[in-house]
Amino acid sequence: MQTGEKEKGAYSISTTSGKLWLEISTTLLRLGETENLFFLATPHRGADSAQLLGNLLRIAMPNESKAYIHDLIPNSGALQTINDEFRHVYQGSHLWSFFETVKTNLITSQELIVEKDSASIGVNLFLILIDTLLLLLSSSTDFHAGLPFERIQLLNADHRHICKFANPLDNNYLTLRNAFISTIDSIERDWSVVRQEEHRSQMKILSRFLGVAERPEGSLLSVVDKQMDGTCQWLTDKPSFQDWQVAQDNTPGYYWLSGKPATGKSTVAGHVIRHLENCSSDCSYYFFKKGDRENSTLSDMIRCLAFQMAFTNFRVRQVLLDMQDDGESFSKDDERTIWRTIFIARIFRVELSQPHYWVIDALDECLNHTAFIPMLSKVDKNFPLRVFITSRPSPSMERLFVQGKIPVIPEQITLEDSLKDIRLFLEANSSFLPVDGDIACDELIKIILDKSNGCFLWAALVLKELETTHSEQQILEVLKEVPTEMDDLYTRILNSMRNHSRDKELAKAIFRWTVCAARPLTVDELKEALKLDINETLPRLDKSIGPVCGNLIQVDKLSRVQVVHQTVKAFLVKDGFGSEFAVDRIKENSRLAEVCLKYLAGDEMKSPRNRRGSAARRLTKRSLFASYASLYFSEHVARSSSATDTHFMLLETFLNTNTLTWIEFIAQSGDLYSITQTAKNLRAFLDRRAKYRSPLGQAVYAVNAWANDMIHLVAAFGKSLAASPASIYSLIPSVCPPNSMLYQTFGRSQPCLNVVGSSEKDWDDRLTCIVFPEERVTAIACQDARFVVGLANGTIMVYYTSTLQEARRLEHEEPIRHLRFANVGNFLASSGRRKVRLWNVITAAQLWEAEHRNDILTLSFNEEETLLMAATRTNQIAFWDISNGMELDTCPLHETVPGNQSEYRPPSTHAQFSTELGLLAVAHRQRPISIWDLVSNSFIGQFYVAGTKRFPGPLVCAMVFNPNPEINLIAASYQEGHLVVFDPWNQEEQALIKTVAHVLAASPDGKTLAAGCGGGSIQLFDFETLRLMYRVAASDYNVNAIVFTNNNLRFFDIRNDHCNVWEPAVLVRQIESGDGQSENVSEEVPSGPQIRDAHLWDDDLTITVMVVHHNGDVLFCGREDGSVAVFETKTGKPVQVLHSHAKNIAVLSLCWNPVESILVSTDISGRFLARKVSPASPGKWTAEKPLLDERSAKAIRQVLMNPAGKLLLLSTVTSDELWSISAGLIRSRDALLLSSRTWITHPLHPNRLLLIDGSIARIFEWDTLEELVPMDPIMLYPFLKPNTSSTDPISCHANRNVCVTFSNARGARAVPHLLLWHTSSLQHGTEKAKLLADYTQLKGKIKASIGIHKASFLFLDHDGWVCSIKTENAGAEKYYIKHFFIPYGWHSGAEPVLVCTAAGYVVLAKRDEIAVFQKGLAFEERIALE
């Protein structure tokens, strides 16, 4: 660039379009997008040659303006402005400034175009001198004389050649290149640290979400540790394996390696994993271990594989994080739901850049391994997944691969393969053998190989024994005596252990803990367990375990204690085994349960004495055994003997003393599933114990009640408990029902929080009720994180399943008849009388709509989710293409009556699809149920209830398929009172009972059948047996539909104008272990059905609005029926009804004036009343005749009284009216804005009004409603979005501040934005109010404003916490405070009504009651404002 061009270019970039260069660089720096800026001889401070440049340009271009040249003169105003502004925004970015050292040859002279001091942004003379001195001393060319992050370097070039280089070896080029390399290295280092921290944080979240602690690297290390160089190379050298690994299009994606027990299958799996990792392939793996609680179920494996895929792949990680953010939950024991929601719906839809490999070892040791292979048949063939499986030879697995049409490469471990690996192992350890010479060693290895019969474990154990010999004769004696069968070898080892009497009890204890532990214990955990068990201290246990236990027990690389092979465990627990070292699992589990419970009931787990005040984390040093005992004590209780009482008494002691500490300990992990699992185990134990002991008695009642409390604890307080584990001491017991064990045991003793007013004495299985006033609920559907409710007015309400918060609304524009979610994805189908619509429920976008001519009975998506299907009343199946809504050819259902070849097609009355089975069930009036095969469109058969082929038959009321394809059942109910379950393939009846059921629904896991009757009651049955488990009586309207959530623990029902949310504890059901570690399931005595009476609310008395009396002792409540009642804050109970508006005309708002004791009430019809209210006698109040009884022509939005109690302001939808209490209407004025305005009395001027009108404020006189300065509003906040309205303006901090929440929506969809202004700036003549604080950090957290208490603004967050933020030092707060939380069901489902009294009591309207939270603000937990 020429000199003139360079400086002119610099000037143009700097000044044109409002200093564009500065704006661009400033924007980039503020966005954090720019790490480094490089300046090459840039004249930041101008150039002395500017004057010369000007003279030359005047000669060359005499007619052009040269005004910009003046701004290039050193230290000009324009340059100083640019530099000064830039210095304020560059912070955090690094600057490189290079300056020229060779003078440029000009026409008349040679000069430096840009001097060194001008080439630096922040240089000064003093720093130049210092750096020059350092330069002379160090001979370095690197200067640091500018800004703190500016590096200054010289280039040996003139201005023309500052960025021109002769070749790659040019010193100037090398200097610039090294600067770039240094910058890139620095960025990569910083980026790597940030990304690693982000990765750790994200995986921690997913660990809690999936219930997976970590990758199973410990299992991998324990098997690869046994490998020698070349071990298992025979497999990876096989062409079949190499073809599978390369993943050619025509190569099967599944590789199945089978082998006999102890032939090294796990070692092979470890080798395959390491091989794939060395090939830079993404690999996830899992090792099954029968009897290991954490490594024996299919659901454990599926969650672990998902966790590992998220660990290695950003896209997979992100979809799971999105799932967690949506609040989606699932049963961690339900492998089908996990597979569908996590893999089919999400992971398998992620685009991978390379194949992902799964290595699954010992699949046959999985409790439900036969369910996994059919799952693999659902994997999209385009998804690049390769699966390697090991197992014992299994004809059933082979058959499943064939049935699922899954192409697989089958291989078996041959004797030759095993011998190769055993030889490598023996050769690597031959130095421990007491033989001389290679020849003798080879001969010994050959003998061992011949006797091993390919059993790796046999060879390893024999080698251990040979290491203890000292002569060739002893070697030969051992080889002669050692049996070749593993059981005989184990017997020999145990017999030899009998001679060591000193170690026998220790060996028995180690066997006990190793064989029966729910998961492998670490050496340190086992030390503590043995200390508690046999009172022995073992400082070098890791060295002693092998010799003491005959080398049948080992310590792996992660210091975990395990059997050397699963066959050892199987041998020790074998029935009829007479050794004194045999492990009786029922007896030993009883012993382990006692040890765990002794610890949990001991001093280490005692609750802290101080349960009040702050939630600061209590740091207590506990035994390393604490985690195991807390997580797994109930597993041992469930597997223990039911005939003994020792551990039962310890269990009762623990529950009544240290339960709170145990709950806190579990909650600190962030995963509350262990609490639910404990409840399952305790219930299973009690059911089995009933065979030996009476199920009656205080102790049995207490344990059962504690199990019930644990289930409800997680349901009602789970999210809050995980966020604040210490709340279990001071908050939770106080808000539990009075009859619960938590409240009875801990809630009465000096509570930090006291709750009064609620009439509920026991846990309510109905969490909440969502009411749709004046609307009829017609349909409901639930899938994953959302459920939808269809209304008769055509609106579809979308809610989050976890929080019950409204997400959005869809408009179908006709009464909703059917709603159906796709099995995967975000599709929702809705149908009315004439239209079918498809929606994206996430974006609320309507994808298409289609007309339909026939009455639809049910909707469903096909298995591939390419079609939407509808069974119609006219015996047809209609199809629509998902992609465009095009209706395809219909499929008629041709049914032939047996014995008659004529076609008979009566109208259908009911229909149900089963995409899992590929079936359709159709019911006709007074005819048997017909079953159709959807794949072949063929008629399968008919089902006759009770086996009677009579005509006319009973009327079908409802049908539902079991969603679990392994169960293969369908349930049907009949009008005459039969409920039946039958096999759809052969139409054979499986169970039948007498009951009335008009509505049926099945839980996603297929275990529970829900039935709703016309009388309003709901019954829950075991689907397969129809054993009644639960009944709730709720005689408020007929049940119209029932749906379950994904986790099987919650269901919804719709009836009339509301939707009920249920979560009964009976749905938490025990998962059978299947490992034989507990008494036979047949010994369980099934507990009788739980019968509940639903807590019924009087909807007419629902509280709609509250206002507090100034003394705080009472509050006035307006109700749905038009009445105004008085409630006491001390007891929370209603005192009396003061007066009423017209019957069933809901009260809309209340206003209390303490000066004149006047209560103003308005209703939805526009009527407003003003009455004097005063106490007549203790507990009694008097309401005088109305001072005002008028009606507004428009709906009233707000009512406000002046401080003196003489004037009343009514704000309607179109106008504002000023009324005199004594003289009536004074003035009415049209509203400037119709929806967003809110009035308050001016905090500094009681005779004036302040109108908050969106982003502006106006001031009016109270007595005239005249604006002080018309058309000259005060600007509050210019950045508010259009249609934003203000809510709840509050004066705070001695009237010095005004606190306002803004929202661009109403109700549950509102996202409040809290702002705070200084009152003194809200005066006439002020153009812009002084904004003190903009709490953007709280945006999205605030669910409802409560009010001001002292100097703090109180609000309810979406998790149910009552929070506060101080307003004294507005804008300087670094944190807000969480005080206590309100039970989940009390604030969900509707917009909560809350107030705060002068005493700091927070009051919540709870349908027709109030709940008063006393002393709750004393509890404080600081949360940083991020």
Side-chain angles (χ1 to χ4, degrees):
M1 179 182 288
Q2 298 298 316
T3 305
E5 293 173 343
K6 174 71 174 66
E7 298 192 354
K8 182 177 180 179
Y11 174 82
S12 299
I13 294 176
S14 303
T15 59
T16 304
S17 302
K19 300 175 184 175
L20 180 61
W21 174 82
L22 178 63
E23 291 182 3
I24 293 174
S25 58
T26 298
T27 301
L28 289 174
L29 290 168
R30 282 176 173 165
L31 290 174
E33 302 280 343
T34 305
E35 293 280 346
N36 286 259
L37 288 172
F38 292 80
F39 297 103
L40 274 67
T42 304
H44 299 296
R45 303 179 185 279
D48 291 332
S49 58
Q51 191 63 48
L52 175 61
L53 173 64
N55 295 332
L56 293 174
L57 290 176
R58 274 194 297 272
I59 297 171
M61 296 175 287
N63 297 323
E64 290 190 14
S65 174
K66 316 296 185 303
Y68 62 85
I69 294 297
H70 296 288
D71 288 334
L72 292 176
I73 295 174
N75 298 318
S76 68
L79 290 175
Q80 288 184 9
T81 300
I82 291 174
N83 289 332
D84 289 342
E85 291 185 16
F86 181 77
R87 289 161 68 92
H88 291 90
V89 298
Y90 91 100
Q91 303 295 337
S93 294
H94 294 264
L95 310 178
W96 292 75
S97 295
F98 295 87
F99 63 92
E100 61 201 68
T101 56
V102 178
K103 294 181 179 181
T104 301
N105 188 17
L106 300 177
I107 296 175
T108 59
S109 64
Q110 290 184 334
E111 293 184 18
L112 289 175
I113 301 301
V114 179
E115 297 285 349
K116 177 182 174 183
D117 61 341
S118 182
S120 167
I121 292 179
V123 75
N124 60 53
L125 182 59
F126 174 74
L127 292 177
I128 289 179
L129 294 174
I130 296 297
D131 265 12
T132 302
L133 179 61
L134 292 174
L135 176 64
L136 293 173
L137 292 175
S138 64
S139 70
S140 171
T141 61
D142 193 358
F143 283 80
H144 300 273
L147 295 172
F149 294 98
E150 183 181 16
R151 295 168 65 90
I152 304 172
Q153 287 187 264
L154 62 83
L155 291 176
N156 188 26
D158 62 18
H159 196 72
R160 287 195 181 99
H161 298 87
I162 197 75
C163 56
K164 295 179 181 179
F165 314 105
N167 54 58
L169 298 178
D170 188 316
N171 287 333
N172 291 336
Y173 172 82
L174 294 175
T175 299
L176 278 174
R177 188 202 64 174
N178 292 339
F180 291 150
I181 291 174
S182 174
T183 296
I184 293 170
D185 288 344
S186 176
I187 292 173
E188 286 183 341
R189 283 195 302 270
D190 294 343
W191 181 86
S192 178
V193 171
V194 171
R195 292 307 297 265
Q196 286 176 9
E197 182 57 37
E198 180 185 24
H199 184 271
R200 280 193 294 268
S201 176
Q202 291 175 342
M203 293 311 301
K204 189 175 181 180
I205 293 171
L206 292 182
S207 173
R208 292 194 296 266
F209 178 62
L210 296 171
V212 178
E214 58 188 359
R215 302 174 72 199
E217 292 176 340
S219 298
L220 176 61
L221 288 174
S222 67
V223 297
V224 299
D225 184 49
K226 303 172 184 176
Q227 296 180 13
M228 308 294 124
D229 289 341
T231 301
C232 306
Q233 192 68 39
W234 53 267
L235 175 66
T236 48
D237 287 343
K238 283 180 179 286
S240 62
F241 181 89
Q242 293 172 357
D243 290 343
W244 169 82
Q245 181 186 353
V246 172
Q248 297 292 343
D249 292 338
N250 57 350
T251 305
Y254 302 91
Y255 199 102
W256 176 30
L257 181 70
S258 58
K260 295 179 181 179
T263 53
K265 295 184 295 296
S266 296
T267 305
V268 174
H271 171 73
V272 170
I273 295 167
R274 286 295 190 231
H275 173 76
L276 292 171
E277 290 178 342
N278 291 336
C279 294
S280 300
S281 300
D282 290 338
C283 179
S284 302
Y285 51 90
Y286 195 82
F287 293 83
F288 278 107
K289 292 183 180 178
K290 190 174 182 179
D292 185 340
R293 173 70 179 82
E294 292 186 340
N295 295 285
S296 60
T297 68
L298 195 53
S299 61
D300 291 332
M301 181 198 74
I302 294 173
R303 288 183 284 109
C304 186
L305 292 175
F307 181 82
Q308 293 178 77
M309 291 187 74
F311 187 89
T312 58
N313 189 281
F314 168 77
R315 292 189 180 94
V316 173
R317 186 161 65 251
Q318 196 56 54
V319 297
L320 295 184
L321 288 170
D322 291 343
M323 186 179 177
Q324 191 270 343
D325 289 342
D326 282 344
E328 187 167 344
S329 63
F330 51 84
S331 171
K332 291 184 172 61
D333 295 322
D334 184 5
E335 62 271 3
R336 287 185 59 258
T337 300
I338 299 169
W339 181 256
R340 179 183 62 79
T341 58
I342 290 180
F343 280 98
I344 300 296
R346 290 176 174 83
I347 292 179
F348 290 157
R349 298 192 172 202
V350 172
E351 291 187 10
L352 301 184
S353 58
Q354 64 178 11
H356 193 98
Y357 295 85
W358 287 356
V359 178
I360 302 170
D361 178 55
L363 180 60
D364 56 309
E365 295 186 21
C366 171
L367 297 180
N368 192 22
H369 67 275
T370 56
F372 178 59
I373 295 175
M375 289 179 178
L376 294 177
S377 66
K378 308 296 183 184
V379 179
D380 189 333
K381 293 180 176 57
N382 294 319
F383 187 79
L385 178 68
R386 318 295 285 179
V387 182
F388 182 92
I389 297 171
T390 72
S391 75
R392 300 180 186 186
S394 171
S396 63
M397 288 177 60
E398 184 176 359
R399 185 173 60 254
L400 288 170
F401 276 115
V402 174
Q403 291 175 349
K405 299 179 180 179
I406 302 173
V408 63
I409 301 173
E411 289 283 357
Q412 284 193 340
I413 300 177
T414 65
L415 178 61
E416 181 183 358
D417 297 330
S418 298
L419 291 176
K420 287 179 184 177
D421 290 341
I422 295 173
R423 173 175 285 279
L424 289 171
F425 171 75
L426 294 174
E427 288 175 349
N429 292 276
S430 60
S431 59
F432 299 105
L433 297 174
V435 291
D436 291 329
D438 293 339
I439 297 176
C441 184
D442 289 342
E443 290 179 355
L444 179 58
I445 289 175
K446 186 177 184 303
I447 295 172
I448 297 174
L449 283 173
D450 291 341
K451 298 195 69 174
S452 70
N453 196 28
C455 182
F456 191 97
L457 178 62
W458 184 94
L461 290 174
V462 169
L463 183 64
K464 283 285 186 183
E465 188 163 350
L466 290 176
E467 289 175 3
T468 63
T469 61
H470 304 286
S471 65
E472 293 183 5
Q473 289 73 22
Q474 289 179 345
I475 291 175
L476 295 175
E477 185 180 349
V478 168
L479 291 176
K480 181 179 178 180
E481 293 178 356
V482 159
T484 57
E485 295 298 324
M486 291 304 303
D487 282 5
D488 295 335
L489 176 60
Y490 293 150
T491 300
R492 181 177 183 275
I493 293 172
L494 294 178
N495 288 338
S496 67
M497 290 169 55
R498 290 187 302 178
N499 300 324
H500 303 284
S501 57
R502 183 186 306 170
D503 296 332
K504 279 200 297 186
E505 290 306 312
L506 175 59
K508 291 178 184 178
I510 293 174
F511 281 143
R512 173 164 59 239
W513 283 96
T514 307
V515 171
C516 295
R519 64 152 173 82
L521 278 75
T522 65
V523 171
D524 290 334
E525 287 175 328
L526 184 58
K527 284 180 186 178
E528 301 286 345
L530 294 174
K531 176 68 176 176
L532 293 167
D533 188 3
I534 58 176
N535 196 28
E536 285 198 24
T537 303
L538 304 160
R540 297 180 58 82
L541 179 62
D542 55 331
K543 305 296 183 183
S544 307
I545 286 177
V548 167
C549 298
N551 294 311
L552 297 178
I553 306 296
Q554 65 178 355
V555 178
D556 67 17
K557 288 290 186 180
L558 294 183
S559 192
R560 298 179 306 177
V561 182
Q562 303 189 69
V563 293
V564 294
H565 193 267
Q566 290 301 307
T567 54
V568 175
K569 181 182 291 187
F571 178 76
L572 290 173
V573 301
K574 187 167 59 177
D575 292 337
F577 180 45
S579 171
E580 63 180 308
F581 296 102
V583 176
D584 181 337
R585 285 187 289 191
I586 295 174
K587 174 185 173 183
E588 303 300 359
N589 269 295
S590 299
R591 177 61 183 162
L592 266 60
E594 291 176 21
V595 173
C596 291
L597 287 168
K598 280 181 180 179
Y599 171 78
L600 293 175
D603 293 341
E604 234 181 62
M605 293 293 285
K606 280 187 176 179
S607 301
R609 293 183 178 181
N610 179 23
R611 300 179 187 168
R612 298 174 58 92
S614 172
R617 189 165 186 168
R618 297 165 174 83
L619 298 177
T620 303
K621 187 175 181 180
R622 294 193 172 96
S623 165
L624 295 172
F625 183 61
S627 178
Y628 183 88
S630 297
L631 291 173
Y632 299 109
F633 81 90
S634 67
E635 296 283 346
H636 297 300
V637 170
R639 297 171 178 178
S640 64
S641 172
S642 305
T644 58
D645 284 335
T646 306
H647 54 278
F648 185 76
M649 291 185 292
L650 282 170
L651 175 63
E652 185 187 14
T653 301
F654 156 63
L655 292 173
N656 291 328
T657 55
N658 295 348
T659 314
L660 298 188
T661 310
W662 171 73
I663 294 172
E664 181 193 34
F665 186 86
I666 297 295
Q668 285 171 348
S669 71
D671 183 7
L672 302 182
Y673 177 71
S674 296
I675 298 177
T676 302
Q677 184 62 41
T678 297
K680 293 180 184 180
N681 290 331
L682 294 184
R683 283 187 163 179
F685 171 71
L686 291 177
D687 287 346
R688 195 170 60 250
R689 190 177 184 274
K691 179 176 180 179
Y692 301 96
R693 297 286 189 272
S694 169
L696 305 177
Q698 182 60 34
V700 175
Y701 169 81
V703 173
N704 189 56
W706 273 113
N708 190 51
D709 278 12
M710 291 175 193
I711 294 170
H712 282 97
L713 174 73
V714 176
F717 311 116
K719 197 168 185 179
S720 300
L721 178 60
S724 179
S727 63
I728 190 62
Y729 297 109
S730 52
L731 300 181
I732 291 178
S734 299
V735 294
C736 290
N739 291 343
S740 67
M741 293 301 294
L742 274 166
Y743 182 87
Q744 291 285 331
T745 310
F746 303 107
R748 294 175 171 178
S749 56
Q750 300 179 347
C752 170
L753 173 69
N754 188 37
V755 184
V756 297
S758 176
S759 62
E760 295 176 11
K761 302 301 179 186
D762 294 291
W763 295 105
D764 191 356
D765 291 338
R766 177 161 57 174
L767 292 183
T768 191
C769 175
I770 306 173
V771 180
F772 306 92
E774 311 299 325
E775 291 297 338
R776 186 166 56 89
V777 184
T778 56
I780 188 170
C782 181
Q783 185 83 315
D784 299 340
R786 292 166 179 80
F787 72 98
V788 291
V789 177
L791 306 179
N793 67 359
T795 300
I796 302 172
M797 310 291 293
V798 184
Y799 294 91
Y800 293 109
T801 305
S802 59
T803 64
L804 305 184
Q805 180 185 356
E806 182 184 332
R808 52 181 41 91
R809 300 183 184 191
L810 312 175
E811 294 299 335
H812 185 86
E813 298 177 358
E814 65 174 336
I816 307 297
R817 291 191 175 184
H818 303 283
L819 293 169
R820 180 65 183 239
F821 277 104
N823 290 325
V824 296
N826 303 318
F827 294 144
L828 170 71
S830 62
S831 73
R833 185 170 178 270
R834 289 294 175 222
K835 290 185 178 181
V836 174
R837 284 183 164 93
L838 186 70
W839 310 85
N840 183 316
V841 77
I842 304 297
T843 64
Q846 178 181 303
L847 304 179
W848 51 258
E849 72 170 59
E851 299 281 341
H852 67 87
R853 297 174 296 277
N854 300 313
D855 191 8
I856 292 176
L857 298 177
T858 186
L859 289 172
S860 182
F861 292 84
N862 68 337
E863 189 171 12
E864 295 78 16
E865 306 222 325
T866 57
L867 300 174
L868 175 64
M869 307 182 295
T872 68
R873 195 174 296 278
T874 56
N875 293 292
Q876 292 179 323
I877 304 176
F879 299 94
W880 291 271
D881 189 316
I882 288 294
S883 62
N884 54 27
M886 180 180 294
E887 185 171 4
L888 309 177
D889 293 338
T890 59
C891 177
L893 301 175
H894 298 288
E895 176 184 335
T896 302
V897 180
N900 185 350
Q901 298 304 311
S902 62
E903 189 179 280
Y904 179 71
R905 300 176 65 194
S908 304
T909 59
H910 297 81
Q912 281 291 319
F913 287 101
S914 172
T915 54
E916 293 86 359
L917 299 177
L919 298 178
L920 170 67
V922 180
H924 304 88
R925 184 176 179 83
Q926 295 183 320
R927 287 190 54 76
I929 296 173
S930 301
I931 308 297
W932 296 81
D933 188 329
L934 293 173
V935 178
S936 61
N937 189 29
S938 60
F939 176 67
I940 295 178
Q942 294 178 321
F943 173 75
Y944 294 85
V945 66
T948 58
K949 297 185 178 182
R950 57 188 173 89
F951 183 84
L955 291 173
V956 174
C957 293
M959 300 183 298
V960 65
F961 278 96
N962 192 300
N964 188 340
E966 296 179 20
I967 296 180
N968 276 329
L969 291 175
I970 182 174
S973 62
Y974 293 84
Q975 191 176 53
E976 64 180 17
H978 281 124
L979 177 61
V980 62
V981 170
F982 65 93
D983 188 319
W985 296 103
N986 56 26
Q987 299 86 53
E988 291 184 0
E989 180 184 296
Q990 178 157 320
L992 183 145
I993 61 170
K994 290 280 291 183
T995 190
V996 176
H998 296 149
V999 172
L1000 295 176
S1003 61
D1005 62 3
K1007 294 183 177 181
T1008 306
L1009 175 67
C1013 73
S1017 64
I1018 296 175
Q1019 300 179 95
L1020 300 181
F1021 300 91
D1022 178 87
F1023 200 112
E1024 298 184 66
T1025 64
L1026 291 183
R1027 177 176 65 86
L1028 179 63
M1029 303 185 301
Y1030 176 85
R1031 179 189 294 126
V1032 59
S1035 56
D1036 56 343
Y1037 310 111
N1038 299 340
V1039 179
N1040 295 328
I1042 300 173
V1043 294
F1044 281 84
T1045 57
N1046 274 2
N1047 64 5
N1048 308 295
L1049 301 179
R1050 179 182 296 176
F1051 64 88
F1052 306 90
D1053 79 63
I1054 55 172
R1055 54 183 89 194
N1056 196 39
D1057 65 347
H1058 57 271
C1059 170
N1060 292 312
V1061 185
W1062 304 88
E1063 196 158 329
V1066 73
L1067 290 178
V1068 179
R1069 302 170 71 177
Q1070 170 72 1
I1071 305 299
E1072 300 302 335
S1073 64
D1075 60 0
Q1077 289 214 37
S1078 59
E1079 294 167 298
N1080 196 291
V1081 176
S1082 64
E1083 293 198 6
E1084 292 188 12
V1085 178
S1087 54
Q1090 299 181 20
I1091 309 299
R1092 297 280 190 272
D1093 289 322
H1095 180 81
L1096 299 179
W1097 296 292
D1098 190 339
D1099 289 336
D1100 291 340
L1101 297 181
T1102 298
I1103 295 172
T1104 56
V1105 63
M1106 297 187 295
V1107 67
V1108 182
H1109 188 274
H1110 58 274
N1111 65 14
D1113 294 336
V1114 299
L1115 58 134
F1116 306 109
C1117 299
R1119 292 166 160 169
E1120 192 72 37
D1121 68 344
S1123 63
V1124 178
V1126 183
F1127 282 73
E1128 287 185 341
T1129 56
K1130 183 178 180 180
T1131 63
K1133 300 301 180 184
V1135 175
Q1136 69 184 84
V1137 175
L1138 279 178
H1139 64 87
S1140 293
H1141 288 241
K1143 186 177 181 181
N1144 294 328
I1145 303 298
V1147 177
L1148 181 64
S1149 58
L1150 294 173
C1151 181
W1152 172 253
N1153 181 269
V1155 175
E1156 294 293 333
S1157 296
I1158 293 177
L1159 179 66
V1160 179
S1161 57
T1162 72
D1163 64 32
I1164 58 175
S1165 72
R1167 183 185 179 192
F1168 56 98
L1169 298 170
R1171 295 174 182 262
K1172 265 190 178 296
V1173 176
S1174 58
S1177 60
K1180 295 293 182 182
W1181 290 75
T1182 299
E1184 299 179 5
K1185 291 182 178 180
L1187 300 172
L1188 271 179
D1189 185 354
E1190 301 289 346
R1191 188 181 302 275
S1192 171
K1194 301 293 183 180
I1196 298 173
R1197 298 179 64 256
Q1198 185 187 3
V1199 60
L1200 183 67
M1201 291 192 72
N1202 74 330
K1206 304 298 183 182
L1207 300 173
L1208 177 68
L1209 176 68
L1210 284 181
S1211 181
T1212 73
V1213 292
T1214 60
S1215 64
D1216 298 304
E1217 301 174 2
L1218 181 64
W1219 291 76
S1220 167
I1221 295 296
S1222 58
L1225 181 64
I1226 297 175
R1227 182 182 177 182
S1228 177
R1229 61 184 291 276
D1230 292 337
L1232 297 178
L1233 294 176
L1234 299 182
S1235 61
S1236 64
R1237 67 194 191 284
T1238 309
W1239 296 87
I1240 61 170
T1241 297
H1242 199 291
L1244 298 181
H1245 306 287
N1247 60 337
R1248 291 177 181 170
L1249 284 162
L1250 188 62
L1251 175 64
I1252 309 295
D1253 237 1
S1255 61
I1256 62 174
R1258 301 175 185 273
I1259 302 175
F1260 293 78
E1261 296 288 356
W1262 241 119
D1263 55 356
T1264 63
L1265 207 59
E1266 291 285 349
E1267 187 172 0
L1268 262 64
V1269 184
M1271 307 306 295
D1272 190 16
I1274 304 169
M1275 177 58 67
L1276 293 176
Y1277 193 73
F1279 306 111
L1280 292 176
K1281 294 181 179 180
N1283 301 321
T1284 298
S1285 60
S1286 57
T1287 58
D1288 308 318
I1290 307 171
S1291 161
C1292 56
H1293 191 36
N1295 293 334
R1296 282 182 280 181
N1297 301 333
V1298 171
C1299 184
V1300 185
T1301 54
F1302 288 87
S1303 177
N1304 59 355
R1306 289 280 182 180
R1309 291 181 295 169
V1311 181
H1313 183 185
L1314 180 63
L1315 301 167
L1316 199 70
W1317 286 274
H1318 201 292
T1319 311
S1320 62
S1321 66
L1322 297 173
Q1323 307 279 11
H1324 65 87
T1326 304
E1327 292 184 3
K1328 184 177 180 181
K1330 182 180 180 182
L1331 182 64
L1332 296 177
D1334 178 0
Y1335 297 106
T1336 54
Q1337 304 96 326
L1338 298 178
K1339 197 171 182 179
K1341 294 183 182 294
I1342 300 175
K1343 181 175 183 177
S1345 300
I1346 299 175
I1348 294 290
H1349 178 64
K1350 296 182 179 178
S1352 295
F1353 171 74
L1354 301 180
F1355 63 91
L1356 180 74
D1357 75 6
H1358 284 285
D1359 293 330
W1361 282 89
V1362 171
C1363 308
S1364 69
I1365 187 165
K1366 297 184 181 298
T1367 62
E1368 302 104 321
N1369 300 315
E1373 298 81 8
K1374 302 297 183 183
Y1375 60 87
Y1376 70 98
I1377 297 172
K1378 287 167 50 171
H1379 295 285
F1380 63 91
F1381 51 83
I1382 296 175
Y1384 174 76
W1386 294 10
H1387 67 86
S1388 60
E1391 190 172 358
V1393 180
L1394 292 135
V1395 294
C1396 181
T1397 71
Y1401 294 176
V1402 174
V1403 185
L1404 168 74
K1406 186 169 169 279
R1407 298 297 293 263
D1408 55 349
E1409 304 174 333
I1410 66 169
V1412 185
F1413 296 83
Q1414 302 171 347
K1415 299 183 288 184
L1417 299 183
F1419 182 89
E1420 294 186 353
E1421 180 177 1
R1422 294 183 176 185
I1423 307 297
L1425 284 170
E1426 298 177 353

